[in-house]
Amino acid sequence: MKNFTITEEYSFDHLAETNINTHHKDYTSWPIVYLLKNKQNKSAYVGETTDVLTRINTHLKSEEKKKLSTVNLILSDLFHKSATLDLEANLIKYISADGQYTLQNGNLGISNHQYHEKKVYWELFKDIWDELRQLGIARHSLDHINNSDLFKYSPYKSLSKEQIKSLKTIFSCLLDEGAKVSLIHGGAGTGKSILAIFLFKLLKTNLEDFNFADFDEEDEELFSLLQKVKDKFSDLNMALVIPMASFRKTISNVFKNVNGLSSKMVIGPSELAKNKYDLIIVDEGHRLRRRVNLGSYFGTFDVNSEKLGLDKFTTSELDWVIIQSEKSIIFYDQYQSIKPSDTLKESFKKLELESYTRVEKLKTQLRVRGGNNYITLVHKLFDEPSVLPVEKYRTDDYEFYLFDDLGEMVDRIKKKNEIHSLSRMVAGYAWEWISNKNPEAHDIIIGENKLKWNSTSIDWVNSVNSINEVGCIHTTQGYDLNYTGVIIGPELDYDFELGKLIVEKQKYKDKNGKNSIKNEDELLDFIINIYKTILLRGIEGTYIYVCNDNLRRFFSQFIQSFNSAPKEENPIQFLDNPTEISIPFYDLNIAAGSFSELQELENVKFIEVDGISGKDDYFACKVVGESMNKIIPNGSICLFKKYVGGSRNGLITLVEGRSITDIEFGSNYTIKEYSSKKSIDEEGWHHEEIVLLPKSNDSNFEPIILRDEETVDFNVVGIFVKVLKK
């Protein structure tokens, strides 16, 4: 049953109050969410309030809001204040990244509100999003948006408490006449880029109609500091400096699609000599360069140094930032410095000691689901290999495996990409880039595996053929991936007698990364930083293939082998009677009637499943056929949760219906990914069309489409949880 309403469009004018009072009087003092928009110029504003009439009248006095022409209300008897704040935040994040409308919203209102049954309201949000797609207000699925750069690097993000603390330090620095630099330390995945982009948008946002009363008392200090910054700096001349060209291009595209920002605000360090700025924000500050191994960039570096009155032999782009800005905010991680051309860490240490520098640290891991335990292991593997405890990393939250077969790892990454997208192969720079000049050639040849480096250097992660290529540190630093397959090349090995990692300089192929280095320990530090950086790209999992036998043998002590990953060692035992940890097993092949009749059969079998609570909510059955083989291999016994309500869109479902004919099941059942379109009339909402999508490597399988009365005689029996036995 539908438990929300998206009202019809009302004109956003002096009649809006009358229309709302007439049709929705019961909600004028109730928590609601609303959407103002202009279909012509595709601009919009999302808000929430407990006093809709006052809020609408306030907006009508705003010059910016007067450009909007219609208003929709989102109403539900289930709403409370925390729920509408959360719904507002989600709508802002997803509508912005969807790209259908450009939002007028500022980003300070994206608070991370924790409250009872937040997960329940997320399911409600998914239903609301489906209806917004139906109404043409949104275009893309939530899964698609989650993988997009516009979402990953959107300024409309909830900040962690640690990030908010850093934000306060930055505001205090901006207000302090004696402060010039905020230096924010943070490892890979601690949210440095998100905070940099959030800050940039925040300082470019007009807060004239921001409703501070909607937020918690703990936010008051942040709001107060922001207001003082706004009062002091009416219109800051700002730039976001990103040293790496590929990542800079990606963030430029994000800025181009955010109201109040422009791609011209994102610049490379070489552009710093052209202008002075009130404020410069630097992301990936560890990649600012000095005059070493610069290749074709030597000329530009020398010209800029001379223009700024600096000695080209001793200066760095870090100095350019300080000279060309009244204030600067620099995000930095010394462990992601990967080349001799990177500004020396001693330069940053010297900057820290200056009286005008304020220092803050980000520690909490926000990217990698393996959390700080995984991060600690990666650092110890490379930095303290001699003191590691002999135990393997295991967790249900993160896939971290060592592969003996490179081809098997490549195949797994491709399968993960089919399901989750943004899964890529990445390697250390231990092979020449031959295919750059000869597209027919292969660069990385290991046994029977023949692979090519990235065919583009700019935004490779999102390029069309990237799943069939291998990226390097230069094309992946700064990016998020869902799964990463890392090839550790022959340039890195392990000496068991010395108990340390060693490097073979001649096997490292990045000429600009080694030419000026005479001390192999220095080169080893750079190579270690490269591998640590790319091992911290994967959100859901990281796989490793190691070329050298000794290093593979060393890693195998601490990293679980993929071949020894947990598998069902014993066949599933079918029991005649239930036990404390058993669930029923239903054979769909013998089903002649409805699922309810199947449940009443006397010869139902049971199987025991560990690790689930509420076993009465689950059942198992065998999935036959190839129509879902991307996710469910033919013949697998799968765990399902009984369906009791809520959104099914995007979920794999077991459904029954007299209008369903599935040749693989030979019955009125099918297992497919569920998708539906809904419409509303005087009698409420109803399904206009239900589409049951196959997920198969065989393109001959087509969707099952149900329309009109076919959608009535239809029942979702269960939601797929996982494969129990292949």
Side-chain angles (χ1 to χ4, degrees):
M1 180 179 176
K2 186 178 173 184
N3 45 23
F4 69 92
T5 299
I6 300 179
T7 69
E8 64 180 281
E9 283 183 348
Y10 299 118
S11 294
F12 181 55
D13 55 24
H14 65 284
L15 294 176
E17 182 177 356
T18 302
N19 282 321
I20 294 170
N21 241 331
T22 301
H23 299 106
H24 312 290
K25 190 173 182 63
D26 291 345
Y27 292 93
T28 54
S29 298
W30 187 260
I32 71 159
V33 178
Y34 59 91
L35 178 65
L36 307 176
K37 61 185 185 301
N38 184 320
K39 291 181 179 178
Q40 300 302 117
N41 64 16
K42 293 295 182 180
S43 61
Y45 178 88
V46 179
E48 71 79 42
T49 183
T50 53
D51 186 355
V52 62
L53 300 181
T54 300
R55 197 81 180 111
I56 291 296
N57 283 322
T58 299
H59 287 323
L60 285 169
K61 297 173 184 176
S62 164
E63 290 301 318
E64 189 70 12
K65 301 296 179 296
K66 285 179 181 177
K67 299 173 185 176
L68 304 172
S69 54
T70 63
V71 56
N72 296 89
L73 310 182
I74 303 176
L75 313 173
S76 174
D77 292 341
L78 301 178
F79 283 169
H80 49 70
K81 187 65 176 178
S82 292
T84 53
L85 283 168
D86 194 34
L87 175 58
E88 176 199 36
N90 281 324
L91 284 173
I92 291 171
K93 285 187 286 190
Y94 282 96
I95 288 177
S96 171
D98 180 57
Q100 177 87 321
Y101 282 87
T102 299
L103 291 183
Q104 290 186 5
N105 290 75
N107 58 333
L108 190 59
I110 311 299
S111 295
N112 187 17
H113 293 271
Q114 298 296 330
Y115 57 93
H116 181 60
E117 293 191 327
K118 185 170 182 174
K119 291 182 179 178
V120 173
Y121 284 91
W122 170 249
E123 294 301 317
L124 177 61
F125 170 72
K126 291 195 288 189
D127 286 341
I128 290 171
W129 186 259
D130 287 340
E131 190 159 317
L132 290 174
R133 291 177 74 187
Q134 178 191 330
L135 295 170
I137 296 171
R139 288 184 299 179
H140 297 103
S141 69
L142 296 177
D143 286 342
H144 173 86
I145 292 171
N146 284 333
N147 281 322
S148 70
D149 288 332
L150 272 175
F151 184 77
K152 288 180 179 295
Y153 305 108
S154 167
Y156 297 109
K157 290 284 187 178
S158 304
L159 298 185
S160 68
K161 289 184 178 180
E162 200 173 70
Q163 287 172 315
I164 290 173
K165 181 171 176 283
S166 295
L167 199 58
K168 290 177 181 177
T169 298
I170 291 167
F171 287 159
S172 297
C173 179
L174 291 173
L175 294 168
D176 185 349
E177 295 294 340
K180 182 175 174 63
V181 178
S182 286
L183 185 59
I184 313 296
H185 291 273
T190 53
K192 298 186 299 299
S193 297
I194 291 300
L195 184 53
I197 295 166
F198 183 99
L199 175 64
F200 205 103
K201 166 64 176 170
L202 190 57
L203 294 174
K204 285 291 182 182
T205 296
N206 187 339
L207 300 179
E208 65 174 8
D209 66 344
F210 185 75
N211 190 6
F212 292 96
D214 283 344
F215 293 86
D216 300 331
E217 290 182 5
E218 64 188 45
D219 297 324
E220 285 185 5
E221 182 185 359
L222 179 64
F223 296 155
S224 175
L225 285 169
L226 175 61
Q227 196 63 62
K228 290 176 182 176
V229 169
K230 289 285 188 181
D231 292 341
K232 182 175 180 178
F233 305 103
S234 57
D235 186 22
L236 285 166
N237 177 26
M238 298 168 56
L240 175 62
V241 174
I242 299 179
M244 303 101 72
S246 180
F247 193 47
R248 183 164 66 246
K249 176 67 174 176
T250 298
I251 301 305
S252 293
N253 288 334
V254 172
F255 270 45
K256 182 173 64 177
N257 288 280
V258 175
N259 185 49
L261 303 184
S262 163
S263 59
K264 294 179 181 178
M265 296 173 177
V266 184
I267 66 173
S270 64
E271 299 174 72
L272 283 168
K274 297 177 183 178
N275 298 296
K276 289 188 76 75
Y277 295 89
D278 298 323
L279 176 64
I280 291 175
I281 300 175
V282 182
D283 192 20
E284 309 285 347
H286 38 272
R287 297 306 316 278
L288 293 169
R289 290 162 290 190
R290 62 192 182 110
R291 198 182 188 276
V292 177
N293 294 7
L294 294 179
S296 61
Y297 185 58
F298 269 117
T300 302
F301 187 94
D302 291 351
V303 169
N304 283 350
S305 298
E306 183 179 351
K307 187 175 181 179
L308 296 172
L310 298 167
D311 180 351
K312 64 184 180 182
F313 294 108
T314 59
T315 190
S316 72
E317 291 173 341
L318 178 61
D319 299 319
W320 303 1
V321 171
I322 306 302
I323 288 173
Q324 292 297 88
S325 62
E326 292 297 320
K327 303 268 188 177
S328 60
I329 301 159
I330 303 168
F331 293 87
Y332 168 69
D333 178 13
Q334 71 178 66
Y335 299 110
Q336 289 193 62
S337 175
I338 60 163
K339 297 176 75 172
S341 57
D342 293 342
T343 297
L344 295 171
K345 62 183 178 183
E346 286 77 15
S347 298
F348 284 95
K349 289 186 180 297
K350 181 180 177 183
L351 179 62
E352 271 192 41
L353 298 174
E354 296 288 355
S355 61
Y356 55 72
T357 301
R358 305 293 179 263
V359 180
E360 190 60 68
K361 292 187 178 181
L362 299 170
K363 296 179 181 178
T364 304
Q365 178 56 222
L366 301 176
R367 176 194 293 137
V368 177
R369 296 277 167 83
N372 287 334
N373 288 338
Y374 172 76
I375 306 302
T376 300
L377 174 64
V378 169
H379 280 288
K380 284 190 172 182
L381 278 172
F382 289 95
D383 297 332
E384 304 175 80
S386 61
V387 297
L388 275 162
V390 182
E391 58 183 34
K392 287 181 169 65
Y393 174 89
R394 286 185 175 88
T395 177
D396 294 332
D397 299 324
Y398 197 70
E399 290 191 27
F400 184 42
Y401 296 128
L402 183 66
F403 281 73
D404 294 326
D405 184 331
L406 176 58
E408 191 173 24
M409 185 169 86
V410 172
D411 289 342
R412 188 162 180 85
I413 283 293
K414 288 183 176 180
K415 287 177 181 176
K416 290 294 184 182
N417 190 63
E418 289 175 354
I419 300 169
H420 302 281
S421 299
L422 278 180
S423 301
R424 300 289 183 267
M425 293 293 302
V426 186
Y429 211 147
W431 295 269
E432 299 283 0
W433 192 9
I434 303 169
S435 61
N436 185 36
K437 295 180 179 178
N438 178 10
E440 301 302 316
H442 290 88
D443 305 296
I444 302 171
I445 300 176
I446 301 173
E448 297 180 357
N449 300 283
K450 298 180 179 180
L451 304 168
K452 293 183 181 182
W453 281 122
N454 45 274
S455 57
T456 178
S457 297
I458 303 299
D459 201 25
W460 170 76
V461 164
N462 298 303
S463 64
V464 175
N465 200 40
S466 55
I467 186 58
N468 298 312
E469 299 171 346
V470 181
C472 66
I473 182 64
H474 306 307
T475 53
T476 54
Q477 191 170 19
Y479 287 91
D480 289 352
L481 297 170
N482 286 326
Y483 288 85
T484 312
V486 178
I487 303 173
I488 297 182
E491 84 283 21
L492 189 65
D493 208 349
Y494 186 78
D495 188 317
F496 279 96
E497 289 186 11
L498 296 175
K500 61 178 287 188
L501 294 165
I502 57 174
V503 64
E504 295 188 48
K505 185 175 181 179
Q506 72 277 12
K507 294 182 179 179
Y508 184 59
K509 302 301 181 182
D510 187 352
K511 295 181 178 62
N512 288 330
K514 68 176 182 178
N515 278 354
S516 63
I517 296 177
K518 294 181 174 59
N519 183 338
E520 287 201 354
D521 284 341
E522 184 182 351
L523 179 60
L524 178 62
D525 286 342
F526 283 125
I527 291 174
I528 283 175
N529 281 355
I530 287 170
Y531 283 117
K532 287 194 298 186
T533 299
I534 58 180
L535 283 167
L536 302 179
R537 299 295 104 198
I539 298 170
E540 305 288 347
T542 300
Y543 310 138
I544 298 178
Y545 175 83
V546 181
C547 289
N548 284 330
D549 292 338
N550 277 352
L551 184 58
R552 187 187 311 120
R553 188 154 55 92
F554 170 70
F555 276 179
S556 68
Q557 300 174 83
F558 315 104
I559 307 172
Q560 193 173 0
S561 169
F562 180 72
N563 294 328
S564 65
K567 296 181 175 67
E568 293 288 346
E569 295 179 0
N570 300 314
I572 287 179
Q573 298 293 319
F574 293 92
L575 309 174
D576 292 326
N577 298 301
T579 68
E580 289 185 1
I581 61 169
S582 70
I583 60 172
F585 171 82
Y586 302 119
D587 188 348
L588 298 178
N589 291 315
I590 65 170
S594 69
F595 191 78
S596 58
E597 293 172 351
L598 186 62
Q599 291 174 279
E600 295 169 4
L601 290 175
E602 293 183 3
N603 60 346
V604 168
K605 299 292 185 182
F606 298 87
I607 60 175
E608 293 188 334
V609 180
D610 292 321
I612 62 170
S613 58
K615 67 182 182 66
D616 292 340
D617 296 331
Y618 294 87
F619 64 91
C621 64
K622 186 175 183 179
V623 179
V624 296
E626 301 291 344
S627 65
M628 294 297 291
N629 63 19
K630 285 185 177 180
I631 302 167
I632 306 174
N634 186 3
S636 298
I637 295 174
C638 297
L639 178 67
F640 289 84
K641 188 170 186 179
K642 295 175 183 176
Y643 177 70
V644 293
S647 173
R648 292 79 60 98
N649 274 326
L651 298 177
I652 296 172
T653 55
L654 167 61
V655 299
E656 66 173 342
R658 279 182 291 190
S659 299
I660 295 172
T661 302
D662 190 319
I663 58 173
E664 294 188 310
F665 280 92
S667 64
N668 297 330
Y669 296 94
T670 191
I671 295 172
K672 298 287 185 290
E673 185 175 286
Y674 182 99
S675 176
S676 72
K677 295 180 181 177
K678 303 171 186 174
S679 59
I680 305 173
D681 54 27
E682 296 81 7
E683 298 178 1
W685 70 273
H686 59 84
H687 288 295
E688 194 173 278
E689 179 181 89
I690 293 172
V691 181
L692 304 174
L693 297 163
K695 292 291 179 181
S696 176
N697 292 311
D698 184 345
S699 59
N700 291 318
F701 287 99
E702 296 182 350
I704 297 173
I705 300 175
L706 306 176
R707 295 190 178 95
D708 303 324
E709 64 273 5
E710 293 175 330
T711 66
V712 177
D713 182 24
F714 172 87
N715 183 35
V716 175
V717 175
I719 305 298
F720 169 77
V721 178
K722 66 179 179 179
V723 172
L724 292 174
K725 176 71 176 177
K726 297 181 182 178

